Amino acid sequence: MADSYEKVAGQSLWGDAWKRLKRNKLAVASMCFLGILIVAVLVGPSIIYWTTGFTYDLTPAEKEMVRSFPPSLQHPMGTDDQGRDMLARVLQGGRISLMVGIISTFVSLIVGVSYGAIAGYLGGKIDNVMMRIVDVIYAIPYILIVIVLLSVFGGPNTPHWIQWLSTTVGGAGNQGLSQLFLLFFALGLVSWLTMARVVRGQILSLKNQEFVMAARATGVGTFGIVFRHLIPNALGPVVVYATLTVPSVMLTEAFLSFLGLGVQAPYASWGSLADIGIKNLAIFPWQLVFPGVTMALTLFSLNFLGDGIRDALDPQTRKF
Amino acid sequence: MLRFILRRLLIIIPMALLVVTLTWGLIRLAPGNFYSGEKKLPAAVEAAIRKKYGLDEPWYKQYGMMMANVVRGDFGDSLKYPGQSVNEIIRRHLPYSATIGILAYFLALFVGMLAGTYAALKQNSVFDFGPMALAMLGLSIPNFVIAPVLVILFAFWLYVFPPARWGGASSLVLPVVTLAAVYAAYIARLTRAGMLEVLRSDFVRTARAKGLDDRTVLFRHAFRGGILPVVSFTGPALAALLAGTVVVEKVFALPGLGDIFIKAVLNRDEPLVLGIVAFLSILIMVFNLIVDVSYGFLDPRIRYE
């Protein structure tokens, strides 16, 4: 008789949030757009190369082709000053821009979460000092920090693990790529401050609850309590803030590229493409329009997705 | 309250000195210096310059000399513009940044709070989704894309406003609008969230139950609490706006502080960088203090010991 009852499956926090997220049309549309974009960015450049032979840095051999053409069937987004296919460049730039967003956010996540959690859990004087340090770093313009990081660790001084990373990803002897990775880490290292504050606030409210006391009573050490018990419970706001960090890091990178400090040639990001496009805006508007619109749409989707995840994870908003 | 303000004001001084110290350390950490980028100087000339700026002393002596001057509010002369003191340069360029910054601040506050409040009152209607989608768009388009598009539209096609440079009220419109766009978008979102929270709270329900009309409930009761998140955002935002934003100054060719700062960093103009960073950090901390104090007036539940 027992199996005639309807089975009641437990609903986890994340499963519940996922259900609510799926009801949010804007968030779903954003996810679809981002999914398509990621696929396009990953396979697009290869497809373009196989079908037409264009790549992001292929300058046509004929002299009369080396100039900016408006969009056509052959070049859906036109070409740039060097006659290079803009579609291939925008897709290639998307790889870099998305990589900036993901890797830098990951770095800021690791630094910010550990820092905030340790400060919040230890409390007292240590917390006070650690948070004042955050305040002080806040007051230093991040541009200065990025420039110094890039010049201290740039060129021959690049840390070995960054060189190792770029060699594993892109093959040996690629100086440009390791500088690119350096930029990702530099951006991550200036964007962890708010994350640290968010996490600390969470930990402060969690650390006096019974489950922490229970863990301590069973002999779990400080490290174990912070990383096994406290951080997993503070993950909601962290996820929300991380999704909103991705677009903000991408904007920062675009801003640095606009100042000529970000991604260097031969690599291009949406920011550096837009920078070139702005200079030629009055004559070749397509050079700004396509990278600009692609970037704006991506950031738009990321922001909406971040909002959607926040609404889905925050039970308060269920009332609406 | 007075003690709280005094204590916070006193903390600002050591904090600013700490910021200056860290910045100095950062600049010194980077290989090379102001002279290394220029063409190779004869050894004798370089030695003379190093002596003049005290670069031949050990680092702790240099730090001590720098700090001794900074404490007296003297940052020395700029390296890039010899004979001009850092304080002079800041004083000369600040008015440009401050003018467009303050105008943009009030424009963003007005537009953002209006749109945010309206969206909260008409939640889940077209008047909510429309402005909020627009605000999201404002957050997603980099301002170095907004600025040239506005220039093309209003300066080159419609001939309404001049495309760049300083001169007359009409030249302020495009930079101010560009600068305000992002902040207005932020403020609209914060106001909406804050107002939604407050409109559901008990004291608003009580006010309604007393029979007050919607207008009084909104402006006398809900608004003060609803804009709290905005207040905490506007402190740092105003400081950033006053200091100028590099992009707008670059695109519109304005001689503001942000542009000077970036150039100083790229030129390794150490006194100028230190001066601007110190000025900025004090500005940020003072505005944060003002924000914290105004909290107490806006929300009677917050008390400072």
Side-chain angles (χ1 to χ4, degrees), chain B residues 102-118 180 183-184 187-188 191 223 230 234:
Chain B
I102 292 172
L103 287 174
Y105 176 73
F106 284 112
L107 180 66
L109 266 187
F110 179 73
V111 174
M113 298 212 304
L114 197 71
T117 312
Y118 200 63
Y183 292 95
I187 291 171
T191 310
F223 200 65
V230 178
T234 52

Side-chain angles (χ1 to χ4, degrees), chain A residues 3-315:
Chain A
D3 44 8
S4 70
Y5 288 107
E6 217 177 303
K7 271 204 186 114
V8 180
Q11 185 72 265
S12 74
L13 169 74
W14 299 98
D16 208 27
W18 174 241
K19 260 172 80 180
R20 257 175 279 143
L21 188 63
K22 276 193 297 190
R23 277 206 300 270
N24 185 337
K25 287 194 197 91
L26 268 173
V28 172
S30 300
M31 271 192 284
C32 292
F33 175 79
L34 289 173
I36 294 169
L37 182 84
I38 289 170
V39 172
V41 157
L42 285 181
V43 303
S46 315
I47 293 180
I48 294 174
Y49 178 66
W50 288 330
T51 50
T52 60
F54 301 132
T55 63
Y56 74 101
D57 57 354
L58 178 90
T59 311
E62 305 89 5
K63 258 224 174 92
E64 61 272 25
M65 296 298 286
V66 183
R67 62 185 194 84
S68 192
F69 286 100
S72 60
L73 269 180
Q74 197 185 13
H75 299 287
M77 292 188 178
T79 61
D80 74 349
D81 288 350
Q82 313 285 315
R84 295 177 289 200
D85 183 43
M86 277 303 283
L87 179 62
R89 285 181 72 72
V90 167
L91 290 176
Q92 186 73 28
R95 278 189 190 177
I96 307 271
S97 283
L98 289 178
M99 245 155 63
V100 167
I102 294 166
I103 299 180
S104 303
T105 302
F106 191 67
V107 173
S108 88
L109 203 64
I110 290 176
V111 179
V113 169
S114 340
Y115 194 93
I118 290 169
Y121 181 70
L122 294 180
K125 274 215 175 71
I126 300 173
D127 173 40
N128 216 336
V129 170
M130 283 176 88
M131 283 299 133
R132 289 298 83 73
I133 292 175
V134 169
D135 287 347
V136 170
I137 303 178
Y138 249 121
I140 302 178
Y142 70 87
I143 291 212
L144 186 70
I145 304 178
V146 169
I147 292 173
V148 170
L149 282 175
L150 290 181
S151 54
V152 171
F153 296 112
N157 302 330
T158 312
H160 289 294
W161 54 275
I162 289 189
Q163 278 175 354
W164 174 83
L165 210 63
S166 81
T167 315
T168 357
V169 174
N174 200 336
Q175 191 59 30
L177 194 64
S178 68
Q179 296 311 297
L180 206 57
F181 271 90
L182 187 62
L183 177 70
F184 299 162
F185 283 98
L187 280 171
L189 286 179
V190 293
S191 46
W192 59 273
L193 298 168
T194 313
M195 180 68 85
R197 284 191 174 167
V198 170
V199 173
R200 173 182 168 268
Q202 282 293 305
I203 300 296
L204 278 183
S205 69
L206 283 173
K207 72 171 182 184
N208 289 324
Q209 290 187 13
E210 283 83 358
F211 71 93
V212 179
M213 221 180 288
R216 205 176 303 142
T218 51
V220 183
T222 303
F223 188 84
I225 287 181
V226 170
F227 287 91
R228 290 288 302 276
H229 295 270
L230 286 174
I231 289 180
N233 281 294
L235 226 48
V238 170
V239 168
V240 172
Y241 190 70
T243 37
L244 297 174
T245 305
V246 177
S248 95
V249 188
M250 286 170 70
L251 263 184
T252 309
E253 180 277 318
F255 172 67
L256 285 174
S257 294
F258 174 72
L259 294 177
L261 301 169
V263 174
Q264 306 291 335
Y267 294 99
S269 71
W270 288 334
S272 63
L273 288 175
D275 176 36
I276 303 167
I278 287 162
K279 294 185 182 119
N280 299 330
L281 180 57
I283 328 159
F284 314 121
W286 55 90
Q287 286 188 15
L288 174 66
V289 168
F290 290 108
V293 167
T294 318
M295 178 171 186
L297 275 177
T298 308
L299 295 176
F300 197 60
S301 311
L302 282 167
N303 278 325
F304 262 123
L305 185 61
D307 266 18
I309 292 177
R310 183 184 56 205
D311 291 347
L313 278 176
D314 183 5

Side-chain angles (χ1 to χ4, degrees), chain B residues 6-173:
Chain B
L6 266 177
R7 210 174 55 208
R8 284 280 302 264
L9 273 176
L10 284 178
I11 291 180
I12 288 180
I13 299 165
M15 290 274 278
L17 291 179
L18 196 58
V19 169
V20 169
T21 303
L22 281 177
T23 310
W24 183 83
L26 273 176
I27 300 174
R28 285 300 167 98
L29 212 60
N33 56 44
F34 176 68
Y35 306 101
S36 63
E38 309 279 311
K39 57 180 185 288
K40 198 84 188 106
L41 294 166
V45 177
E46 201 186 318
I49 290 176
R50 290 179 73 87
K51 194 158 179 61
K52 184 186 170 204
Y53 289 102
L55 290 173
D56 48 355
E57 304 277 352
W59 66 268
Y60 51 86
K61 271 203 178 151
Q62 294 186 33
Y63 172 74
M65 285 182 342
M66 186 271 298
M67 266 324 218
N69 288 329
V70 167
V71 168
R72 280 185 270 123
D74 174 20
F75 290 93
D77 286 2
S78 154
L79 300 177
K80 181 75 184 172
Y81 314 102
Q84 300 185 29
S85 80
V86 168
N87 294 345
E88 226 175 85
I89 295 176
I90 294 180
R91 213 174 301 134
R92 196 169 59 232
H93 292 280
L94 181 65
Y96 300 102
S97 303
T99 311
I100 55 168
I102 292 172
L103 287 174
Y105 176 73
F106 284 112
L107 180 66
L109 266 187
F110 179 73
V111 174
M113 298 212 304
L114 197 71
T117 312
Y118 200 63
L121 290 176
K122 310 259 172 188
Q123 202 198 355
N124 294 336
S125 76
V126 186
F127 300 105
D128 181 11
F129 294 136
M132 282 308 118
L134 205 64
M136 197 62 109
L137 210 59
L139 289 182
S140 304
I141 306 179
N143 54 2
F144 61 78
V145 175
I146 297 181
V149 170
L150 286 180
V151 168
I152 296 261
L153 213 63
F154 290 100
F156 293 162
W157 288 356
L158 298 173
Y159 300 107
V160 197
F161 304 115
R165 300 224 173 252
W166 193 263
S170 67
S171 73
L172 295 179
V173 176

